[in-house]
């Protein structure tokens, strides 16, 4: 059984995961209309994964005797200056999500809710992986700079990254 405090904290995280999904969906659309097929595929995959993270939390709350709350979401940014600024935003957002997960873990310890604490360990690992992927991508973008040929190859390679990520036993990254 989840306490009211834990339920409220988990519901807050449900909203954050839903907003993450929307943020990446908006990024996918931006990339798609710009003809960046690889980046669009990557972002669509990420968006789906965030939705899965949300659903996993929803099921947990409901199965533990609580009631998952589906709330209104903030509208995501839909325009980006450059590919680099978009991925910088992605990394910043993932760091924000990691902080939120850490705070949630902290609450479970204060509340002595070890079942929820255990459940959240998957999210802790997932965030480490997602931040690492975002940093690797940004390193690549920085290396490419303004080189159009490099950008073409990057767009092709990142598609491959989504395929590998979606097939990973962790259920995907970023
Ligand atoms: Fe939900 O994993 Fe990133 O944000």
């Amino acid at each position: 059984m989840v306490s009211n405090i834990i339920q409220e904290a988990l519901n807050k995280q449900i909203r954050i995961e839903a907003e993450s999904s929307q943020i990446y969906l908006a990024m996918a659309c931006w990339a798609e209309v710009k003809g960046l097929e690889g980046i669009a595929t990557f972002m669509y995959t990420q968006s789906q994964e965030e939705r899965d993270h949300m659903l996993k939390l929803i099921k947990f709350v409901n199965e533990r005797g609580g009631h998952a709350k589906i709330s209104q979401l903030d509208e995501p940014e839909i325009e980006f200056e450059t590919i680099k600024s978009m991925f910088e935003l992605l990394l910043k957002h993932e760091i924000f999500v990691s902080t939120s997960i850490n705070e949630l873990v902290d609450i479970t310890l204060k509340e002595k809710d070890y079942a929820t604490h255990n459940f959240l360990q998957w999210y802790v690992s997932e965030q480490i992986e997602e931040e690492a992927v975002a940093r690797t991508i940004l390193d690549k973008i920085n290396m490419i700079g303004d080189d159009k040929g490099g950008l073409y190859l990057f767009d092709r390679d990142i598609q491959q990254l989504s395929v590998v990520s979606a097939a990973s036993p962790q259920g995907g990254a970023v």
Side-chain angles (χ1 to χ4, degrees):
M1 186 81 191
V2 282
S3 69
N4 283 344
I5 290 173
I6 295 290
Q7 174 171 274
E8 202 181 307
L10 288 171
N11 276 333
K12 188 173 150 242
Q13 191 62 35
I14 286 169
R15 180 183 171 160
I16 289 174
E17 300 293 342
E19 284 180 342
S20 302
S21 180
Q22 295 296 87
I23 288 169
Y24 299 149
L25 197 54
M27 289 178 176
C29 289
W30 181 84
E32 193 160 51
V33 298
K34 291 246 174 310
L36 300 161
E37 283 301 315
I39 296 174
T41 303
F42 175 83
M43 290 298 182
Y44 278 124
T45 304
Q46 301 318 135
S47 174
Q48 190 55 48
E49 284 179 8
E50 296 301 344
R51 183 178 157 77
D52 291 344
H53 299 170
M54 175 196 71
L55 286 173
K56 204 173 156 89
L57 279 160
I58 288 174
K59 297 268 180 205
F60 181 80
V61 172
N62 291 341
E63 277 163 16
R64 297 278 302 156
H67 190 164
K69 188 176 163 212
I70 308 303
S71 33
Q72 191 172 8
L73 306 177
D74 284 343
E75 198 179 322
E77 276 187 47
I78 58 168
E79 292 293 345
F80 306 92
E81 286 278 308
T82 58
I83 294 170
K84 184 178 166 181
S85 67
M86 185 174 72
F87 277 99
E88 278 169 348
L89 199 67
L90 182 144
L91 175 60
K92 201 170 144 209
H93 183 72
E94 287 304 331
I95 292 169
F96 160 74
V97 175
S98 299
T99 306
S100 173
I101 294 286
N102 289 343
E103 283 168 6
L104 195 46
V105 170
D106 210 39
I107 295 171
T108 61
L109 286 178
K110 285 196 186 102
E111 290 296 303
K112 296 193 179 5
D113 182 341
Y114 302 114
T116 305
H117 182 269
N118 186 46
F119 166 76
L120 288 174
Q121 295 315 302
W122 182 87
Y123 287 84
V124 172
S125 314
E126 181 71 6
Q127 282 311 121
I128 293 170
E129 193 186 329
E130 293 190 343
E131 278 190 37
V133 171
R135 285 196 178 90
T136 304
I137 290 172
L138 271 174
D139 285 347
K140 283 190 203 298
I141 293 173
N142 282 328
M143 244 171 0
I144 294 163
D146 292 331
D147 178 35
K148 290 258 183 292
L151 199 59
Y152 172 80
L153 292 175
F154 170 77
D155 188 55
R156 197 194 60 185
D157 288 354
I158 197 171
Q159 194 152 10
Q160 198 52 35
L161 197 64
S162 342
V163 174
V164 173
S165 151
S168 85
Q170 291 257 21
V174 182

